[in-house]
Amino acid sequence: MQTLFITGGAGFIGSALVRLLIAESDYRLVNIDKLTYAGNLESLAAVADDPRHLFSRTDICDRAALDALFSRHHPAGVIHLAAESHVDRSIHGPGDFIQTNIVGTYTLLEASRAYWSGLAEEEKRGFRFHHVSTDEVFGSLGETGQFSETTAYDPRSPYSASKAASDHLVRAWHHTYGLPVLATNCSNNYGPYHFPEKLIPLMLLNALDGKPLPIYGKGDNVRDWLYVEDHARALKRVFEGGRVGETYCIGGNAERTNMQVVDTLCELLDRFRPRADGQSYRTQKTFVADRPGHDRRYAIDAGKLKTELDWSPRESFASGLEKTVRWYLDHPDWVSHVRSGEYQTWLERNYAERRTA
Ligand code: NAD
Ligand code: DAU
């Protein structure tokens, strides 16, 4: 049984990947997560009792702790998702983004390189460091065109600049030291267990609470949406079959303006949980000041991933959004815990010592 390190495995995408790998592979996982405000072990309740899932509350900036984990667990690879991930937070306070996304990735690369250099030849050849990144490193598109693996980097927010820096470090560690790396750049994810500061869960929960739905600018910025479980499947596919040193773009082929997203959400809620006064949730839409430096449009050409590794998304935006809305309506406990910060207490109550790595 091979061991993999998953960093950021208590976050939105990391927890989806952990749930997928426990359900659909034989890997033993060491989930390395600092548990910031965005990390939530309650999102891992489905795998909490599985002996193949070990958890370590560790900061990826802590080199000594990483070294100890490498020598204790002898992993066959690392899938690196730990990051500060919210653009608005990066505008208000970029420091944590520089620290985790740049210094943390550097620290993890150095710990991985030290471990990898000491491996026997065959293990060394098989080792993979898979860096999970974003389409935001490519900047902002006009009315037409798509990002691909050959698009030049042009990050424009503190978040995307810190992710771009981490991408460059990962490539440098490949070219300079020979570390066998893979990188993926993905578009906007949505789905269950999404922290309610991002557009879709924020609008959904505000709508149910009777609060305003704050649309930045005119609501005409465009994102390419991918259901989170499709992203997790793509990560597994690239980790297992991707060519070393290569980058793969991942996208949902589902471009929508923010206004279209919010309107579709409101329609779904009008159907599944109609307002007591009979009005549509759309009446709660409110225009607010735009995000500074707001990227206009993102779109991904995922053709390389389709051609080389036969991946394409299973969910359309309509089916994925309907699943997402139903999930939030069916999980009021997760929602109330995440909003009250109570999940840290849940963690201490429910996460048994024996599963910590
Ligand atoms: P998230 O914010 O939900 O989760 C991030 C996780 O990283 C949390 O569990 C947090 O506790 C952990 N973490 C943060 N700092 C850490 C540190 N110093 N040490 C250890 N753990 C730390 O993020 P997400 O949306 O799941 O994104 C995961 C990754 O995917 C990120 O690298 C992000 O840039 C990338 N990505 C996200 C999207 C998206 O739409 N959400 C799209 C493309 C790429
Ligand atoms: O493209 C991939 C990126 O997608 C990831 O790398 C990031 O980690 C992830 O957070 C996401 O970034 P965005 O900035 O695109 O996502 P967010 O949900 O914050 O915003 C989506 C769009 O909705 C964006 O155009 C801003 C707008 N928005 C957002 C919020 C929170 C609003 O209009 N109102 C809001 O309240």
Side-chain angles (χ1 to χ4, degrees):
M1 191 191 295
Q2 286 190 320
T3 296
L4 300 187
F5 282 6
I6 310 290
T7 73
F12 167 50
I13 301 168
S15 67
L17 179 64
V18 167
R19 292 190 301 272
L20 174 81
L21 292 177
I22 291 297
E24 297 185 12
S25 80
D26 295 327
Y27 298 119
R28 174 177 173 270
L29 306 178
V30 178
N31 185 344
I32 299 171
D33 197 296
K34 181 181 172 181
L35 294 178
T36 66
Y37 79 95
N40 182 355
L41 285 177
E42 204 167 339
S43 304
L44 293 160
V47 297
D49 288 329
D50 197 300
R52 289 189 295 122
H53 176 239
L54 303 174
F55 183 79
S56 174
R57 186 170 195 171
T58 296
D59 186 334
I60 55 162
C61 298
D62 183 344
R63 174 67 193 271
L66 291 176
D67 286 345
L69 286 171
F70 273 106
S71 55
R72 193 173 326 142
H73 294 289
H74 204 80
V78 175
I79 309 183
H80 173 38
L81 298 98
E84 288 293 336
S85 69
H86 190 42
V87 173
D88 293 327
R89 281 183 192 255
S90 83
I91 295 167
H92 295 295
D96 286 346
F97 289 73
I98 305 305
Q99 193 58 27
T100 285
N101 299 358
I102 305 179
V103 179
T105 300
Y106 156 74
T107 309
L108 184 66
L109 279 167
E110 277 296 77
S112 303
R113 181 168 77 92
Y115 163 76
W116 169 77
S117 311
L119 291 175
E121 218 32 63
E122 202 181 322
E123 284 182 324
K124 214 171 163 183
R125 261 199 310 279
F127 185 84
R128 296 287 179 271
F129 183 105
H130 179 165
H131 177 60
V132 177
S133 192
T134 169
D135 60 357
E136 299 201 11
V137 298
F138 300 123
S140 181
L141 291 164
E143 293 308 309
T144 56
Q146 290 181 313
F147 300 133
S148 76
E149 293 77 7
T150 54
T151 304
Y153 274 45
D154 184 21
R156 294 148 40 104
S157 74
Y159 163 68
S160 54
S162 68
K163 289 298 289 186
S166 67
D167 292 13
H168 291 319
L169 291 175
V170 169
R171 284 203 188 92
W173 260 241
H174 174 60
H175 290 292
T176 306
Y177 304 113
L179 188 72
V181 308
L182 297 156
T184 45
N185 294 85
C186 187
S187 65
N188 284 62
N189 283 218
Y190 68 100
Y193 305 100
H194 205 181
F195 191 82
E197 63 184 352
K198 309 280 169 67
L199 178 75
I200 289 180
L202 178 94
M203 294 294 178
L204 207 163
L205 298 180
N206 275 15
L208 293 172
D209 284 352
K211 291 183 184 161
L213 309 180
I215 294 164
Y216 298 165
K218 293 190 194 139
D220 54 0
N221 298 65
V222 174
R223 298 291 182 265
D224 172 4
W225 293 96
L226 179 68
Y227 192 64
V228 66
E229 291 174 12
D230 279 322
H231 186 187
R233 279 188 206 97
L235 294 177
K236 180 171 185 288
R237 194 68 62 92
V238 171
F239 180 78
E240 291 175 342
R243 285 183 293 133
V244 168
E246 292 289 319
T247 293
Y248 295 86
C249 282
I250 309 172
N253 204 16
E255 284 183 55
R256 297 286 185 282
T257 64
N258 294 335
M259 190 63 85
Q260 287 171 323
V261 170
V262 175
D263 281 337
T264 312
L265 259 177
C266 290
E267 278 162 32
L268 288 166
L269 286 173
D270 287 341
R271 265 173 52 210
F272 300 151
R273 184 72 57 88
R275 265 174 47 162
D277 63 4
Q279 298 232 53
S280 169
Y281 288 98
R282 285 178 192 231
T283 57
Q284 292 168 230
K285 289 191 295 186
T286 316
F287 291 100
V288 298
D290 209 351
R291 172 186 281 174
H294 197 171
D295 286 339
R296 174 111 195 102
R297 177 173 161 260
Y298 305 144
I300 282 277
D301 171 1
K304 177 174 171 183
L305 189 51
K306 167 83 183 143
T307 313
E308 283 193 22
L309 295 170
D310 194 28
W311 174 90
S312 37
R314 291 185 188 171
E315 300 293 342
S316 66
F317 187 63
S319 66
L321 198 63
E322 180 165 333
K323 277 189 175 183
T324 304
V325 171
R326 285 186 189 281
W327 187 88
Y328 276 88
L329 292 176
D330 290 345
H331 292 81
D333 286 352
W334 185 90
V335 169
S336 72
H337 294 165
V338 92
R339 292 171 117 189
S340 65
E342 233 186 84
Y343 59 86
Q344 295 299 350
T345 330
W346 182 93
L347 179 172
E348 277 146 30
R349 268 205 321 269
N350 294 282
Y351 226 73
E353 277 295 304
R354 69 178 175 80
R355 284 187 299 277
T356 54

